[in-house]
Amino acid sequence: MTEVVICVGSSCHLKGARRVVEGLTKLVTERGLTENVKLSGSFCMGRCEEAGVSVKVNGEIHFVDPDQIKEFFDNVIVGGNR
Ligand code: FES
């Protein structure tokens, strides 16, 4: 099980956290990975100064561009799941 926690604090919200949540939810469903990937939200992770939306994958923090969700999903979430 890969645990994915998306920051939905106000700064990440402004950077497109909602699109990240929606995009990842859609990809997880499309790929039939609902049993393998657990998505949840969290308050500010204290990394507001970074360029992207803060997303933790199995405890490791990444900064995600809402326009690059598919790449992030394939490289980090699916890639790290192998
Ligand atoms: S609001 Fe996301 S890191 Fe601060």
Side-chain angles (χ1 to χ4, degrees), residues 68-82:
Q68 306 275 320
I69 295 169
K70 196 167 170 296
E71 289 78 359
F72 173 73
F73 185 81
D74 286 334
N75 296 335
V76 179
I77 298 181
V78 177
N81 216 3
R82 269 182 210 132

Side-chain angles (χ1 to χ4, degrees), residues 43-72:
F43 293 117
C44 178
M45 295 180 183
R47 304 296 294 273
C48 306
E49 75 283 3
E50 302 286 348
V53 174
S54 302
V55 180
K56 269 187 197 158
V57 180
N58 289 334
E60 193 184 329
I61 197 159
H62 300 265
F63 306 102
V64 181
D65 177 345
D67 293 324
Q68 306 275 320
I69 295 169
K70 196 167 170 296
E71 289 78 359
F72 173 73

Side-chain angles (χ1 to χ4, degrees), residues 10-71:
S10 51
S11 175
C12 288
H13 178 76
L14 291 175
K15 290 178 213 157
R18 203 177 138 184
R19 278 164 64 209
V20 174
V21 173
E22 288 170 355
L24 292 180
T25 304
K26 189 162 168 262
L27 284 163
V28 167
T29 309
E30 275 174 10
R31 306 282 181 89
L33 291 172
T34 47
E35 299 291 311
N36 305 83
V37 180
K38 180 171 174 274
L39 297 174
S40 58
S42 111
F43 293 117
C44 178
M45 295 180 183
R47 304 296 294 273
C48 306
E49 75 283 3
E50 302 286 348
V53 174
S54 302
V55 180
K56 269 187 197 158
V57 180
N58 289 334
E60 193 184 329
I61 197 159
H62 300 265
F63 306 102
V64 181
D65 177 345
D67 293 324
Q68 306 275 320
I69 295 169
K70 196 167 170 296
E71 289 78 359

